[in-house]
Coordinates of all heavy atoms in Angstrom, one line a residue:
E23 N -69.4 27.7 50.4 CA -68.3 26.8 50.5 C -67.1 27.5 51.1 O -66.6 28.4 50.6 CB -68.0 26.3 49.1 CG -66.6 25.9 48.7 CD -66.1 24.6 49.2 OE1 -66.0 24.5 50.4 OE2 -65.9 23.7 48.4
H25 N -64.0 26.4 52.0 CA -62.6 26.0 51.7 C -62.5 25.2 50.5 O -62.8 24.0 50.5 CB -62.2 25.2 53.0 CG -60.7 25.1 53.0 ND1 -59.9 25.7 54.0 CD2 -59.8 24.4 52.3 CE1 -58.6 25.4 53.8 NE2 -58.5 24.6 52.8
A26 N -62.0 25.8 49.4 CA -61.8 25.1 48.1 C -60.4 25.5 47.6 O -59.9 26.6 47.7 CB -62.9 25.5 47.1
H27 N -59.8 24.5 46.9 CA -58.6 24.7 46.2 C -58.9 24.6 44.7 O -58.5 23.7 44.0 CB -57.5 23.7 46.6 CG -57.2 23.7 48.0 ND1 -56.3 24.7 48.5 CD2 -57.6 23.0 49.1 CE1 -56.1 24.5 49.8 NE2 -56.9 23.5 50.2
L28 N -59.5 25.6 44.2 CA -60.0 25.6 42.8 C -58.9 25.9 41.8 O -59.1 25.7 40.6 CB -61.1 26.7 42.6 CG -62.3 26.5 43.5 CD1 -63.2 27.8 43.4 CD2 -63.1 25.3 43.0
D29 N -57.7 26.3 42.3 CA -56.6 26.5 41.4 C -55.8 25.2 41.2 O -54.8 25.2 40.5 CB -55.7 27.6 42.0 CG -55.1 27.3 43.4 OD1 -55.8 26.6 44.1 OD2 -54.1 27.9 43.7
F30 N -56.2 24.1 41.9 CA -55.5 22.8 41.7 C -56.0 22.2 40.3 O -57.2 22.4 40.0 CB -55.8 21.9 42.8 CG -55.0 22.2 44.1 CD1 -54.5 23.5 44.3 CD2 -54.9 21.2 45.1 CE1 -53.8 23.7 45.5 CE2 -54.2 21.5 46.3 CZ -53.6 22.8 46.5
K31 N -55.1 21.5 39.7 CA -55.3 21.1 38.3 C -56.7 20.6 37.9 O -57.3 21.2 37.0 CB -54.2 20.1 37.9 CG -53.7 20.4 36.5 CD -52.6 19.4 36.2 CE -52.1 19.7 34.8 NZ -51.1 18.7 34.4
P32 N -57.2 19.6 38.5 CA -58.4 19.0 37.9 C -59.6 20.0 37.9 O -60.4 19.9 37.1 CB -58.7 17.8 38.8 CG -57.9 18.0 40.0 CD -56.8 18.8 39.7
L33 N -59.6 20.9 38.9 CA -60.7 21.9 39.0 C -60.4 23.1 38.1 O -61.3 23.6 37.5 CB -60.9 22.3 40.5 CG -61.2 21.1 41.4 CD1 -61.2 21.5 42.9 CD2 -62.5 20.5 41.1
A34 N -59.2 23.6 38.2 CA -58.8 24.8 37.4 C -59.0 24.6 35.9 O -59.5 25.6 35.2 CB -57.3 25.2 37.7
Q54 N -61.8 30.6 48.0 CA -60.7 29.9 47.4 C -59.4 30.1 48.2 O -59.1 31.3 48.6 CB -60.5 30.5 46.0 CG -59.1 30.6 45.4 CD -58.5 29.2 45.1 OE1 -59.3 28.2 45.0 NE2 -57.2 29.0 45.1
T226 N -65.6 21.7 51.3 CA -65.2 20.5 50.6 C -63.7 20.2 50.9 O -63.3 19.0 50.9 CB -65.4 20.6 49.1 OG1 -64.6 21.7 48.6 CG2 -66.9 20.7 48.8
D227 N -62.8 21.2 50.9 CA -61.4 21.0 50.8 C -61.1 20.4 49.4 O -60.1 19.6 49.3 CB -60.8 20.2 52.0 CG -59.3 20.5 52.2 OD1 -58.8 21.4 51.6 OD2 -58.7 19.7 52.9
C228 N -61.9 20.6 48.4 CA -61.7 20.0 47.1 C -60.4 20.4 46.5 O -59.9 21.5 46.8 CB -62.9 20.4 46.2 SG -63.1 22.1 45.9
P229 N -59.7 19.6 45.8 CA -60.2 18.4 45.1 C -60.1 17.1 46.1 O -60.3 16.0 45.6 CB -59.3 18.2 44.0 CG -58.0 18.8 44.4 CD -58.4 20.0 45.3
Y230 N -59.9 17.3 47.3 CA -59.7 16.1 48.2 C -61.0 15.9 49.0 O -61.9 16.7 49.0 CB -58.6 16.4 49.3 CG -57.3 17.0 48.6 CD1 -56.8 18.2 48.9 CD2 -56.6 16.2 47.7 CE1 -55.7 18.7 48.3 CE2 -55.5 16.7 47.1 CZ -55.0 17.9 47.4 OH -53.9 18.4 46.8
L231 N -61.0 14.7 49.7 CA -62.0 14.4 50.8 C -63.4 14.4 50.2 O -64.4 15.0 50.8 CB -61.9 15.4 51.9 CG -60.5 15.5 52.6 CD1 -60.5 16.6 53.7 CD2 -60.2 14.1 53.2
T232 N -63.7 13.7 49.1 CA -65.0 13.6 48.5 C -66.0 12.9 49.4 O -65.7 11.8 50.0 CB -64.8 12.8 47.2 OG1 -63.8 13.4 46.5 CG2 -66.1 12.9 46.4
P233 N -67.1 13.5 49.7 CA -68.1 12.9 50.5 C -68.8 11.7 49.8 O -68.8 11.6 48.6 CB -69.2 14.0 50.7 CG -69.0 14.9 49.6 CD -67.6 14.8 49.2
G238 N -64.2 8.5 46.1 CA -63.4 7.8 45.0 C -63.4 8.6 43.7 O -62.6 8.3 42.8
T239 N -64.1 9.8 43.7 CA -64.0 10.7 42.5 C -63.4 12.0 43.0 O -63.2 12.2 44.2 CB -65.4 11.0 41.9 OG1 -66.2 11.7 42.9 CG2 -66.2 9.7 41.6
T240 N -63.0 12.9 42.1 CA -62.5 14.2 42.4 C -63.6 15.0 43.1 O -64.7 15.1 42.6 CB -62.1 15.0 41.2 OG1 -61.1 14.2 40.5 CG2 -61.5 16.3 41.5
N241 N -63.2 15.6 44.3 CA -64.2 16.4 45.0 C -64.4 17.7 44.3 O -63.4 18.3 43.7 CB -63.8 16.6 46.4 CG -64.9 17.0 47.4 OD1 -66.1 17.0 47.0 ND2 -64.6 17.2 48.6
E242 N -65.5 18.3 44.4 CA -65.8 19.7 43.9 C -66.9 20.3 44.7 O -67.6 19.6 45.4 CB -66.1 19.7 42.4 CG -67.4 18.9 42.1 CD -67.7 19.1 40.6 OE1 -66.9 18.6 39.8 OE2 -68.8 19.7 40.3
P243 N -67.0 21.7 44.7 CA -68.0 22.3 45.6 C -69.4 21.8 45.6 O -70.1 21.8 46.6 CB -67.9 23.8 45.2 CG -66.4 23.9 44.7 CD -66.2 22.6 44.0
L245 N -70.5 19.0 45.5 CA -70.7 17.8 46.4 C -70.9 18.1 47.9 O -71.2 17.2 48.7 CB -69.6 16.8 46.1 CG -69.5 16.3 44.7 CD1 -68.3 15.3 44.5 CD2 -70.7 15.6 44.2

Side-chain angles (χ1 to χ4, degrees):
E23 146 78 290
H25 196 109
H27 297 280
L28 299 169
D29 57 334
F30 286 19
K31 217 175 180 185
L33 300 171
Q54 151 65 23
T226 59
D227 202 15
C228 60
Y230 312 116
L231 302 178
T232 311
T239 66
T240 299
N241 200 5
E242 64 173 63
L245 300 179

